[in-house]
Amino acid sequence: MTDPADLTVTIVDGYVDEPAHFGVPPYISTYPRFTAGAVVDAGVPESNVVYHTIDELREDRQKWRDVADADLMIYIGGMTVPGKYVGGTPAEPDEVRELAWVAEGTALMGGPIRFGVGDENAGGQDMERKNLDYDFVAKGDIEAAAYDLVDSGLEGFGNRMRDNEELDRWAATGAFVVEQHPNHPDHLICEMETSRGCAYRCSFCTEPLYGNPAFRTADSVVKEVENLYDRGARHFRLGRQADILAFGGDGEAPNPDALRRLYGGIREVAPDLGTLHLDNVNPITIVGWPEKSREALRIIAEHNTAGDTAAFGLESADPLVQEENNLNVSADECFEAVKIVNEVAGWRPGDDPADAPTHGSDAANRLPKLLPGINLLHGLKGEREETFEHNKRFLQRVYDEGLMVRRINIRQVMAFDGTDMSDTGADIARDHKQLFKTYKKEVREEIDRPMLRRVAPAGTVLPNVHLEYHQDGRTFGRQLGTYPLLVGIPGERELGKTIDVAVVDHGYRSVTGVPYPLDFNEASMDELTAIPGIGRSTAGDIVVNRPYADAADVGVDADVTKYVQ
């Protein structure tokens, strides 16, 4: 039997994306951290555990030696919702298979990949279970499988789910892995699990495959945050749950006291955190328990950082699709939930919370504290041409009522074994592909852009935008957080840096910005002409007439005061 103290372990993060779990950089999911904690708990020295992302292995072939030489190579990955990514590229099936071929020791695969693998990481396709040439595939929790495999001397394990007592140990112990992430410490956001499983059974979703909601205690989550904070982490997202409002309760009703312990505890152990965001909120919770939900939302808005998003799984505003897919919220109910979040948490730092939702010329120049996000899913059972019109009418109603949503996520279904959609597959999505493309373009043009102007009007300041890539003579970056805005800045600036930006213009899902505060004595022509009301001729005059004592001396008709401190 192999002594755990002698084992070397390499964990490869191929990234995950689930309905309630982000893991593509700049996010790090819970899986590699919990798994590292599990093998250490089983007796492997922390110094014997190596962590690599799939992007690291692509960029440096020498790191494949860690894959080949490890006694145990653990691959973690799986996409159960489709997405587009800037910070990293999820592993493709061929890459996952190559890892197993290269590994000379035991190869273990797990994570949401156990639900199925497609030909590529995209929506509108059927997913199949495949072992991809691994010695072992964890059909239960990858962290439990890793613990049992190490404990057995690499002889095997039973597929099982870990319990909360184990999770309390493994979550805290595995925090050390974040130090090995290439984005650590400044551009890494830790996904935090508060619960998993769901009380509802929507046809397409893999979250119910984890069972009914199983909640961690506030103390357990806070302890994990404390350990991550001690390891240099400063950005956290409470994203691993079906409904944050139900935390600490029965899986359906809100529990404001539990949220107060959770958020207050995090703020106590991580006093200088940079980001505290969340993800999923079930709108049916808000309309079912409006007063408790209002109290819970007030607690969140008091402790979080601005620009936070509560993703609402409306999925479809079509009553027929709702019925055939067991969707639990109607369009009217979702609208009411959007309204309540706006009224409670749609204020901006510097505004009076009682004035929420705040937007317009009198609002503070920051993003709102917490806004809803709307998830729309296509290719579901019963979808028809009218479905697309139902969705557009719902979104237009939200806008016309003066409310705000932070983002609208429109995607096509991925059909997994074990869900009700497995019988239908991706046939409807494929049949409606062209209709979907036309509708999506209309939403972007007619709803997204005017909504973005309301949420982040010209002059809105976005602190700490991390510069990520160059394109067409511009530099693009994002803040850390839930669904951050993509920001384009004129000129090619040094990548990897972080700057404050003021919004000057709007795309469909992105904004153009200039450095904040803008120094008119140093600003480039491209930066000056990006400001509304300043053309190239005026920008040229500004450059020629430098220097200026302050912005008032610039002497232009355009309002430039919002772009200076």
Side-chain angles (χ1 to χ4, degrees):
M1 177 172 170
T2 306
D3 186 346
D6 296 330
L7 286 179
T8 56
V9 178
T10 294
I11 299 172
V12 177
D13 191 348
Y15 310 143
V16 304
D17 193 354
E18 300 182 87
H21 204 170
F22 281 0
V24 181
Y27 303 94
I28 180 171
S29 76
T30 65
Y31 292 113
R33 303 184 338 244
F34 293 176
T35 301
V39 298
V40 170
D41 190 40
V44 178
E46 185 179 304
S47 58
N48 284 13
V49 179
V50 173
Y51 167 84
H52 289 312
T53 67
I54 189 65
D55 282 314
E56 283 184 89
L57 297 181
R58 292 182 183 122
E59 294 166 7
D60 186 353
R61 292 296 300 188
Q62 292 186 353
K63 291 183 178 180
W64 283 78
R65 180 51 54 191
D66 292 328
V67 175
D69 291 347
D71 297 311
L72 174 60
M73 191 281 290
I74 304 173
Y75 172 77
I76 297 170
M79 321 299 289
T80 62
V81 293
K84 294 183 179 179
Y85 311 102
V86 175
T89 302
E92 295 288 351
D94 287 346
E95 293 178 306
V96 181
R97 188 177 286 109
E98 184 182 3
L99 288 165
W101 293 343
V102 170
E104 297 172 5
T106 301
L108 168 65
M109 176 174 71
I113 196 170
R114 69 188 175 91
F115 295 128
V117 181
D119 296 328
E120 59 178 339
N121 294 319
Q125 62 173 322
D126 302 312
M127 314 299 282
E128 300 177 13
R129 287 192 170 100
K130 302 175 183 177
N131 65 18
L132 298 177
D133 298 326
Y134 279 69
D135 298 309
F136 297 102
V137 177
K139 295 182 174 63
D141 283 325
I142 180 61
E143 54 267 37
Y147 178 90
D148 293 347
L149 190 57
V150 169
D151 192 53
S152 72
L154 302 184
E155 294 180 5
F157 59 88
N159 288 304
R160 69 178 181 89
M161 310 300 278
R162 39 81 172 166
D163 59 37
N164 277 344
E165 184 178 335
E166 289 175 316
L167 180 57
D168 289 347
R169 301 197 310 269
W170 299 345
T173 303
F176 73 92
V177 158
V178 297
E179 295 182 320
Q180 299 184 41
H181 196 288
N183 285 30
H184 180 272
D186 296 328
H187 192 52
L188 184 66
I189 183 165
C190 297
E191 188 81 323
M192 306 300 300
E193 176 181 320
T194 69
S195 70
R196 66 175 180 178
C198 186
Y200 304 98
R201 296 294 183 268
C202 301
S203 68
F204 62 92
C205 189
T206 56
E207 191 61 24
L209 300 180
Y210 290 105
N212 290 322
F215 294 97
R216 298 174 68 182
T217 66
D219 288 344
S220 175
V221 179
V222 169
K223 178 63 177 176
E224 183 185 1
V225 169
E226 183 177 23
N227 283 19
L228 289 164
Y229 189 84
D230 289 345
R231 296 282 186 165
R234 292 295 181 270
H235 306 279
F236 306 92
R237 195 184 90 116
L238 304 174
R240 182 68 181 100
Q241 71 274 314
D243 181 5
I244 188 65
L245 295 188
F247 174 74
D250 61 3
E252 298 183 47
N255 187 336
D257 289 339
L259 284 170
R260 188 176 289 107
R261 291 193 299 273
L262 175 66
Y263 273 86
I266 290 173
R267 280 294 192 171
E268 184 175 342
V269 301
D272 294 321
L273 62 76
T275 306
L276 180 56
H277 279 188
L278 59 88
D279 192 359
N280 295 292
V281 168
N282 196 331
I284 201 66
T285 303
I286 297 175
V287 295
W289 295 271
E291 292 311 312
K292 282 189 174 182
S293 293
R294 284 178 182 272
E295 183 181 356
L297 291 164
R298 275 191 289 269
I299 292 166
I300 292 170
E302 176 187 349
H303 292 91
N304 72 349
T305 54
D308 203 355
T309 306
F312 282 3
L314 171 61
E315 315 306 352
S316 180
D318 183 345
L320 178 63
V321 176
Q322 292 166 6
E323 181 179 356
E324 292 202 19
N325 294 274
N326 200 32
L327 306 183
N328 61 43
V329 64
S330 69
D332 286 342
E333 289 169 330
C334 189
F335 177 84
E336 182 62 22
V338 168
K339 186 170 181 286
I340 288 173
V341 174
N342 270 257
E343 291 172 347
V344 176
W347 52 277
R348 303 163 193 261
D351 288 336
D352 186 340
D355 293 334
T358 57
H359 53 78
S361 58
D362 294 333
N365 65 343
R366 292 293 190 273
L367 289 176
K369 289 286 280 183
L370 176 68
L371 292 178
I374 302 296
N375 293 341
L376 296 171
L377 185 60
H378 288 272
L380 295 173
K381 291 183 290 185
E383 182 175 282
R384 51 200 173 138
E385 191 168 345
E386 294 97 313
T387 302
F388 298 87
E389 295 303 319
H390 277 288
N391 287 350
K392 287 195 294 183
R393 281 197 297 272
F394 169 80
L395 296 173
Q396 192 65 55
R397 179 187 179 193
V398 170
Y399 182 79
D400 290 346
E401 289 292 327
L403 301 174
M404 295 182 286
V405 295
R406 172 55 196 82
R407 68 97 180 91
I408 301 164
N409 190 15
I410 303 172
R411 53 196 171 90
Q412 287 187 298
V413 72
M414 300 172 79
F416 289 90
D417 285 345
T419 68
D420 289 346
M421 275 300 297
S422 62
D423 296 333
T424 304
D427 291 346
I428 296 173
R430 283 190 286 264
D431 290 345
H432 292 172
K433 199 79 172 181
Q434 190 54 52
L435 185 60
F436 174 78
K437 288 181 179 179
T438 301
Y439 145 87
K440 190 172 182 179
K441 183 174 184 291
E442 290 172 351
V443 171
R444 297 301 180 224
E445 293 174 347
E446 297 170 14
I447 303 295
D448 270 321
R449 179 173 279 174
M451 181 64 77
L452 191 50
R453 289 189 180 117
R454 178 178 292 170
V455 172
T460 299
V461 176
L462 307 176
N464 301 315
V465 174
H466 185 84
L467 306 181
E468 296 179 292
Y469 66 95
H470 296 139
Q471 183 176 310
D472 300 329
R474 295 196 292 172
T475 303
F476 288 85
R478 297 174 298 172
Q479 297 173 293
L480 285 176
T482 295
Y483 311 109
L485 281 170
L486 181 64
V487 185
I489 304 162
E492 294 193 351
R493 293 178 164 266
E494 183 180 353
L495 300 182
K497 297 293 185 180
T498 299
I499 65 171
D500 296 347
V501 171
V503 174
V504 295
D505 199 5
H506 304 82
Y508 299 139
R509 305 187 76 192
S510 62
V511 297
T512 299
V514 294
Y516 179 84
L518 190 66
D519 185 346
F520 282 87
N521 291 318
E522 299 291 338
S524 69
M525 284 286 291
D526 286 340
E527 290 169 348
L528 291 171
T529 55
I531 296 175
I534 296 182
R536 292 202 69 81
S537 176
T538 302
D541 292 340
I542 292 173
V543 171
V544 168
N545 294 322
R546 287 169 174 168
Y548 305 98
D550 55 47
D553 291 341
V554 175
V556 296
D557 293 334
D559 179 12
V560 299
T561 57
K562 63 181 69 172
Y563 305 108
V564 297
Q565 207 137 22

